[in-house]
Amino acid sequence: MITMKFGGTSVGDVKRLQDVALIVKTHLPRHPVVVASAMGGVTDLLLDTARLAVKRSSQVEPNLRLLKDRHLQVSQALVRDRERRDELMERQARLIDELSTLYHGVSLLKELSVRSLDAIASFGEILSCLQIASILQDHDIPAEFIDSREIIRTDANFGEAAVDFPTSSDRIRRRLLPLLGKSCVPVVTGFIGGTEDGLTTTLGRSGSDYTGSIVGAALECEEIWIWTDVDGVMTADPRYVQGARVLPQISYREAAEMSYFGAKIIHPKTMVPAIEAGIPIRIKNTFNPSAPGTIISHTADTGDRIVKTITSIDNLSLIAVEGNGMVGVPGISARIFAALARVQVNVIMISQASSEHNLCVVIPHRDCAKALHELKSEFERDIAKKVIDEVKVQNPVSIVAVVGEGMKGFRGVAGKTFTAVAEAGINIVAIAQGSSEYNISLVVEQANAHKAVQAIHDVFHLG
Ligand code: ADP
Ligand code: ASP
Ligand code: MG
């Protein structure tokens, strides 16, 4: 058995979907389970339209038409059997009507909760997987649409729900194994789950990768394949870095570290179920299926490369708490983290100057205003007493991370990284190295992030 997850671009148009059907057909003897995303761009469109609906914008109707046309065009082109096609198109039209009712509700109430956003976002994966199941059937591949709200049980933390593994694994096995037993391909919606009360949740943006590995691990598949639009995990994002190269093999740790630090190729949580079950993850290219791709497993590349990838995350803010009076005062960092936790701000990176007179945290830019407000009120008295001089912000910044297992215990990587960035004329705002030594991260102004990534990529000859 293998699980094959297809991303948004892989299911984004008629040509790609034809390729998906061929890929599934080729691998039928291995009993594939398909997990798929919404068509590329659809989740953004669904969520943007919800935000327009609250504002009672006239753009809602045209967006709904766009969505409908995009799906119906695929059904028309790829499902040749008349009866099957009519049934699919009717079902898609009914879903668009339901969606329209939801937008109408949002618009009437002028209220848009994270719960409603999840319900709205789920339509992307449902519409997409319904059409994939029909396309496979049309290619004489027995296939069945599976709504993952029935099998992936989550808590009610809308927008980024936590998975209840024992319940989900049990349901996945009970629902999918009988289908696989009769050589039928389950087509499972990625990204979405359901609570005990039957409410729709999502696993976080780009969460279909995670669904793929939850399903693959529950079924104890031989491998989990993530089909995307590049030949594998590369030394840097090929969209921004010249000479980026495919890595044939990386470890789970490296993949987790690089995805946490912004490499969009795989969702950071994807590695968790796979590590526990010891199942390799393979990244493959739908546009170039014969390429071997990248294998992610317990084993890192046996080559001599110390640094594997350079990544970056944009749209961040750096908040620094500074003051000469802070030196030797216990509990300042605990108070910073407690204040940020109170307003539910996730800290991506922490850095403290060894002089103890400056402590900074890097957080998502969207949370900056509330974080700053909370920190200023937390330290109001200390500011008045001059223990702390100021709580200051720098915006927008990016974290650039250098990732590789070989860095552990290898001296000189940090020095080489900082010199490369400095020689590119870029100022380093802050630095952090985790005690794992699998990564070194630095903060730069956002405008310089891609240039910094390129400079580090070049200095380690990753291309
Ligand atoms: P999908 O829709 O298939 O899930 P994504 O857009 O989420 O695809 O992820 C694939 C994209 O990730 C690639 O097109 C590439 O631009 C980007 N990417 C970022 N960092 C890397 C990297 N280190 N290696 C490969 N791709 C990367
Ligand atoms: N469609 C969802 C998103 O765009 C999930 C995914 O593509 O993995 O975030
Ligand atoms: Mg993705």
Side-chain angles (χ1 to χ4, degrees), residues 5 206 209 264:
K5 177 265 171 176
S206 300
D209 297 334
K264 204 189 160 215

Side-chain angles (χ1 to χ4, degrees), residues 5 7-9 227-230 232-234 236-239 258 263-265:
K5 177 265 171 176
T9 347
W227 289 91
T228 183
D229 59 356
V230 286
V233 175
M234 301 177 83
D237 189 336
R239 280 174 302 180
M258 67 186 285
K264 204 189 160 215
I265 182 81

Side-chain angles (χ1 to χ4, degrees), residues 191-367:
F191 180 53
I192 61 180
T195 66
E196 202 176 346
D197 305 331
L199 298 172
T200 303
T201 55
T202 62
L203 309 181
R205 291 304 306 269
S206 300
S208 295
D209 297 334
Y210 188 30
T211 312
S213 90
I214 296 166
V215 170
L219 297 174
E220 295 172 17
C221 284
E222 289 155 53
E223 288 191 2
I224 296 159
W225 290 8
I226 310 276
W227 289 91
T228 183
D229 59 356
V230 286
D231 277 347
V233 175
M234 301 177 83
T235 48
D237 189 336
R239 280 174 302 180
Y240 311 119
V241 174
Q242 274 176 10
R245 195 177 53 82
V246 176
L247 294 159
Q249 192 171 18
I250 60 169
S251 70
Y252 291 124
R253 278 200 95 120
E254 287 171 329
E257 204 93 1
M258 67 186 285
S259 55
Y260 178 79
F261 284 105
K264 204 189 160 215
I265 182 81
I266 191 161
H267 188 280
K269 288 184 185 165
T270 313
M271 271 56 72
V272 177
I275 291 173
E276 277 182 19
I279 301 172
I281 300 171
R282 196 184 286 274
I283 311 288
K284 298 271 295 172
N285 190 353
T286 327
F287 294 69
N288 183 18
S290 60
T294 299
I295 191 101
I296 306 172
S297 67
H298 283 297
T299 330
D301 190 351
T302 43
D304 54 1
R305 283 186 196 271
I306 294 156
V307 169
K308 294 283 178 56
T309 54
I310 320 295
T311 66
S312 63
I313 328 180
D314 290 344
N315 298 320
L316 304 174
S317 299
L318 179 133
I319 301 189
V321 178
E322 282 184 3
N324 289 323
M326 275 164 65
V327 181
V329 177
I332 302 252
S333 37
R335 286 170 60 199
I336 294 177
F337 298 126
L340 293 174
R342 273 200 298 279
V343 284
Q344 286 172 341
V345 173
N346 182 28
V347 177
I348 300 171
M349 185 184 129
I350 305 156
S351 171
Q352 178 171 28
S354 54
S355 68
E356 283 187 58
H357 120 286
N358 169 308
L359 202 148
C360 62
V361 289
V362 181
I363 60 166
H365 177 53
R366 60 172 185 272
D367 294 334

Side-chain angles (χ1 to χ4, degrees), residues 8-183:
T9 347
S10 304
V11 297
D13 61 37
V14 170
K15 171 75 184 76
R16 294 279 77 82
L17 281 160
Q18 263 166 338
D19 293 344
V20 167
L22 289 181
I23 289 170
V24 174
K25 200 164 201 165
T26 309
H27 296 284
L28 273 181
R30 298 186 74 175
H31 300 285
V33 177
V34 169
V35 173
S37 295
M39 295 177 82
V42 163
T43 310
D44 283 335
L45 182 65
L46 287 166
L47 298 174
D48 289 346
T49 308
R51 292 178 193 113
L52 290 168
V54 204
K55 293 190 214 149
R56 300 189 176 171
S57 154
S58 59
Q59 192 54 40
V60 174
E61 281 307 314
N63 283 4
L64 271 166
R65 264 199 305 280
L66 202 73
L67 206 67
K68 187 169 178 177
D69 291 348
R70 202 161 156 207
H71 288 90
L72 294 188
Q73 188 211 347
V74 165
S75 310
Q76 218 134 29
L78 290 180
V79 184
R80 290 159 304 177
D81 181 89
R82 176 94 187 261
E83 209 176 308
R84 182 177 293 129
R85 184 173 64 229
D86 288 348
E87 198 187 314
L88 170 67
M89 287 171 69
E90 242 173 68
R91 215 161 155 189
Q92 289 180 316
R94 273 204 308 276
L95 282 163
I96 301 284
D97 286 345
E98 256 180 64
L99 186 60
S100 168
T101 313
L102 280 180
Y103 285 140
H104 190 60
V106 164
S107 179
L108 280 178
L109 293 169
K110 281 195 165 183
E111 186 194 62
L112 182 60
S113 62
V114 243
R115 175 171 154 178
S116 312
L117 280 171
D118 274 3
I120 288 166
S122 71
F123 282 76
E125 269 65 16
I126 296 171
L127 285 162
S128 163
C129 290
L130 275 171
Q131 74 191 14
I132 295 170
S134 292
I135 294 166
L136 294 181
Q137 288 160 2
D138 208 66
H139 280 73
D140 299 321
I141 303 167
E144 189 170 321
F145 166 77
I146 304 284
D147 186 331
S148 57
R149 290 175 296 186
E150 290 171 31
I151 53 175
I152 308 274
R153 166 72 66 76
T154 71
D155 67 5
N157 183 24
F158 299 100
E160 182 114 34
V163 174
D164 168 349
F165 278 95
T167 309
S168 305
S169 300
D170 185 47
R171 289 185 175 196
I172 291 165
R173 284 193 285 266
R174 272 197 286 150
R175 183 76 178 89
L176 305 191
L177 286 175
L179 292 178
L180 290 158
K182 51 181 184 180
S183 298

